[in-house]
Amino acid sequence: MGTESKRQQRFAGVLQQDLAELLQREGNSWAPGAFITVTRVRVTPDLAIARVYLSFLNTKTAPEDLKAIRTKTTEIRYKLGSKIKNQVRIVPQLDFFLDDTNEYVEHMDKIFEEISKETRQPD
């Protein structure tokens, strides 16, 4: 997407905060037992599409939980729109993605641990 303008960044911040509040209130009914975090929101230059990156904690079924959230996209967009209707002309289309940064970091940590153990052993 390149660099985002200040306007895009500001709007993405508003969306991130409002979506986080919405998912905190109602996310348990869509993904039972999961703690959902909105890690990042990226917005297109025309502010028409928002890519929302979600992280799921306390669950082993993150892909299934993401599918459940995606099936509720229309409902989430409607509720978001009622909250931000005075701030925007159009409510952006929401695309949800799984943010697997935490899993990637854990995986890399394990690899580095294994490498450091191998180098410490005398030949």
Side-chain angles (χ1 to χ4, degrees):
M1 260 175 138
T3 59
E4 293 180 324
S5 68
K6 292 284 185 195
R7 181 175 178 231
Q8 285 173 274
Q9 292 173 358
R10 202 169 38 245
F11 186 57
V14 168
L15 291 178
Q16 183 172 356
Q17 184 176 6
D18 290 341
L19 283 169
E21 290 173 8
L22 178 66
L23 289 171
Q24 188 176 27
R25 272 195 327 265
E26 302 186 27
N28 203 28
S29 64
W30 302 323
F35 181 73
I36 305 168
T37 306
V38 180
T39 56
R40 169 179 264 176
V41 176
R42 306 286 305 260
V43 183
T44 56
D46 62 357
L47 307 181
I49 301 172
R51 293 176 178 88
V52 182
Y53 295 87
L54 302 175
S55 176
F56 296 86
L57 303 173
N58 298 335
T59 183
K60 298 289 184 196
T61 59
E64 291 82 12
D65 293 340
L66 180 64
K67 286 179 187 176
I69 296 291
R70 284 180 175 160
T71 62
K72 300 292 184 180
T73 300
T74 307
E75 180 183 343
I76 295 169
R77 185 173 180 230
Y78 176 79
K79 290 179 179 184
L80 177 67
S82 64
K83 190 165 184 138
I84 65 170
K85 64 185 173 200
N86 296 328
Q87 301 172 37
V88 295
R89 282 186 287 142
I90 61 166
V91 178
Q93 172 189 334
L94 301 175
D95 292 335
F96 293 101
F97 297 96
L98 184 61
D99 184 1
D100 56 356
T101 305
N102 289 338
E103 289 85 12
Y104 178 75
V105 169
E106 289 174 9
H107 177 71
M108 294 306 290
D109 283 345
K110 287 179 185 175
I111 290 173
F112 288 132
E113 270 183 41
E114 290 174 15
I115 291 171
S116 68
K117 286 178 184 175
E118 289 174 6
T119 57
R120 289 183 194 156
Q121 296 173 350
D123 290 330

